[in-house]
Amino acid sequence: MAKAVALAYSGGLDTSVAIEWIKEATGAEVFAVAVDVGQQGESLEDVRQRALACGAKDAYIIDARDEFAKDYCFKGIKANGMYEGVYPLVSALSRPLIVKHLVKAAKQFGCDTLAHGCTGKGNDQVRFEVSIQSLAPELECLSPIRDLSMTRDKEIAFARKKNLPITIKEEKNPFSIDQNLFGRAIEAGFLEDIWNSPDHPDIYTYSADPDPSKPAEEVVVKFEKGVPVAVNGEELSPADLIAKMNALAGAHGIGRIDIVESRLVGLKTREVYEAPGAVALIAAHKELERVVLEREQMRFKVQVEARWADLVYDGRWYSPLKKSLDAFIDDTQKYVTGEIRLRLFAGTAVPVGRRTDSGLYDFNLATYEEGDQFDQLSSRGFIQIYGLQDKMAAARDIRLNGEL
Ligand code: ARG
């Protein structure tokens, strides 16, 4: 039986009720852990006060926005990390960091058990618990919504009975939302009918509707070794840089994604995301890589990126393979330094200019104008040798089959 529990606390209904719920079910003390990854809304102090008012023995509250931006989102950018080719891993990137702090808090408060408020149907329960197994295998894990059968109706009745100081809205939220500095994930409600278009005005807060009557805007993003460091010449902290790109790209409706997604637990679900900064930064980063990376290295990296995104999506942030892939990715980034000019217009972020001292693009070799240094005559011999394998095979086909 648990003696002391560290609970990942958001300040919302589920985790506020979970404090008393866990105390009653296990007899343990509960410590609330709130990690600011840029989800906005309430101040950390308000979150702390609510946790204490709802029965927490103490609270661990941390502003982890720059840590999240630098050590998690920027790794996502270096990896051009997009699950199923389109989802920039917004929620998936935050879970390993939250678990890192949860474990730290548990050690500080002397807890023997960790708890989270995920449902039993999603990826997040997997990400929490697999990360816990890597970082603190000695700690038990409790999932009150899943394991202690909490439901919204039961939660509300319990909150009223216990007089918990939380405002309960009569209507259910129209969607289930998870948001942080890197973007927002919106699901459930009317989106569950996958024929419905994602046009509801309440869905989006990081982006305006794409508007072709709004003039295009150009923005210059500077990268150093694969990570963005400045926007329009202004050097910014990691968190401020992502926030700035959210504002700039969001104003042009960039980064809205509507997909039917394959969850690790086997379900297909409909997810809507808005991640304006992430989508624009990855577009710029990919373009700089096109100039800098050698062809084979770039092609191989595309395969690594897909595997990396799968591992992160699947909760394997702390796995050996993910770490090895990070080492490969970091090696590819040593010359990814330079600037990309992006054109933001009506929902699109398109690279239109590139500038770097470490690229492989050589004007004198590429030019068709005066001063071309490429030895065109050598191409003749190259093509003869290069095509030899196909020539031999084709000759055999004709010899044995009479046709190609
Ligand atoms: N499907 C996404 C993921 O697994 C987002 C889940 C976030 N949760 C939410 N309540 N919208 O990364």
Side-chain angles (χ1 to χ4, degrees):
M1 201 54 137
K3 287 199 281 297
V5 178
L7 166 71
Y9 182 66
S10 71
L13 175 70
D14 289 347
T15 51
S16 293
V17 169
I19 298 174
E20 269 308 315
W21 198 289
I22 294 171
K23 282 164 74 177
E24 219 161 77
T26 66
E29 302 273 25
V30 175
F31 296 85
V33 179
V35 184
D36 184 355
V37 285
Q39 57 269 51
Q40 302 173 346
E42 297 178 298
S43 77
L44 287 179
E45 194 42 42
D46 287 350
V47 172
R48 174 200 297 278
Q49 291 308 332
R50 177 154 340 102
L52 298 177
C54 287
K57 172 102 174 141
D58 204 343
Y60 170 107
I61 307 281
I62 185 153
D63 176 354
R65 281 173 298 174
D66 262 315
E67 183 181 16
F68 178 52
K70 183 169 156 291
D71 298 340
Y72 296 79
C73 305
F74 281 7
K75 282 206 169 127
I77 292 172
K78 286 198 263 189
N80 299 320
M82 293 276 193
Y83 180 65
E84 296 192 327
V86 286
Y87 163 42
L89 297 165
V90 172
S91 303
L93 289 168
S94 73
R95 305 310 181 209
L97 172 64
I98 294 171
V99 171
K100 185 180 156 197
H101 285 288
L102 195 59
V103 167
K104 222 167 146 184
K107 303 232 155 116
Q108 189 175 307
F109 293 131
C111 298
D112 57 347
T113 302
L114 303 176
H116 62 76
C118 306
T119 73
K121 287 177 83 164
N123 300 310
D124 285 330
Q125 53 176 343
V126 183
R127 296 172 184 150
F128 268 97
E129 293 176 32
V130 170
S131 296
I132 290 169
Q133 285 175 28
S134 295
L135 296 184
E138 70 285 4
L139 298 180
E140 292 294 321
C141 189
L142 192 63
S143 170
I145 296 192
R146 185 191 65 199
D147 304 342
L148 306 176
S149 322
M150 284 170 60
T151 61
R152 187 180 146 83
D153 290 343
K154 285 203 234 167
E155 282 174 13
I156 293 174
F158 185 81
R160 295 217 164 104
K161 191 174 102 200
K162 293 276 170 183
N163 234 334
L164 296 179
I166 39 182
T167 23
I168 297 161
K169 285 185 266 155
E170 280 317 315
E171 289 147 56
K172 215 167 148 270
N173 289 336
F175 308 108
S176 159
I177 295 173
D178 181 52
Q179 68 183 52
N180 61 46
L181 185 63
F182 215 42
R184 298 175 70 243
I186 306 103
E187 60 176 300
F190 98 114
L191 294 171
E192 283 175 358
D193 180 341
I194 62 177
W195 185 251
N196 286 337
S197 353
D199 294 334
H200 200 286
D202 293 347
I203 295 180
Y204 305 103
T205 65
Y206 283 14
S207 61
D209 287 343
D211 177 4
S213 69
K214 189 180 157 110
E217 184 180 348
E218 290 193 351
V219 46
V220 176
V221 184
K222 183 177 175 196
F223 290 86
E224 262 168 34
K225 294 195 165 70
V227 301
V229 292
V231 175
N232 290 334
E234 186 189 357
E235 297 211 353
L236 293 164
S237 74
D240 287 347
L241 191 142
I242 293 173
K244 174 107 193 172
M245 287 303 291
N246 277 337
L248 287 169
H252 291 272
I254 290 154
R256 291 185 175 185
I257 299 145
D258 171 21
I259 55 163
V260 173
E261 176 177 305
S262 316
R263 285 195 186 168
L264 175 60
V265 294
L267 293 169
K268 291 267 188 199
T269 53
R270 205 276 187 84
E271 313 272 347
V272 173
Y273 299 101
E274 57 172 349
V279 165
L281 286 166
I282 289 175
H285 177 259
K286 264 192 185 168
E287 186 62 20
L288 185 55
E289 286 188 327
R290 285 183 174 281
V291 185
V292 166
L293 299 189
E294 178 274 330
R295 187 173 92 138
E296 296 298 329
Q297 187 188 29
M298 193 169 82
R299 289 185 183 190
F300 193 76
K301 182 167 183 279
V302 170
Q303 295 172 36
V304 169
E305 288 168 356
R307 195 73 184 88
W308 188 94
D310 285 348
L311 286 166
V312 173
Y313 184 88
D314 291 350
R316 310 289 303 279
W317 182 268
Y318 296 108
S319 67
L321 179 56
K322 147 77 175 46
K323 289 182 193 166
S324 300
L325 298 186
D326 276 338
F328 169 80
I329 291 168
D330 279 340
D331 185 66
T332 64
Q333 300 300 292
K334 60 184 175 221
Y335 297 123
V336 185
T337 294
E339 289 175 313
I340 294 295
R341 199 168 73 248
L342 280 180
R343 182 170 294 161
L344 312 178
F345 177 69
T348 59
V350 179
V352 290
R354 312 100 179 124
R355 189 152 61 191
T356 170
D357 292 332
S358 44
L360 295 174
Y361 177 81
D362 184 330
F363 179 88
N364 293 323
L365 287 176
T367 186
Y368 282 97
E369 307 296 326
E370 211 42 51
D372 176 10
Q373 290 171 2
F374 187 88
D375 177 6
Q376 297 198 31
L377 283 181
S378 317
S379 290
R380 199 184 160 85
F382 164 72
I383 294 164
Q384 274 171 2
I385 306 284
Y386 175 69
L388 183 59
Q389 52 206 328
D390 290 349
K391 184 174 161 186
M392 304 278 288
R396 178 190 53 195
D397 287 345
I398 289 168
R399 179 162 47 88
L400 299 182
N401 299 327
E403 60 184 355
L404 270 183

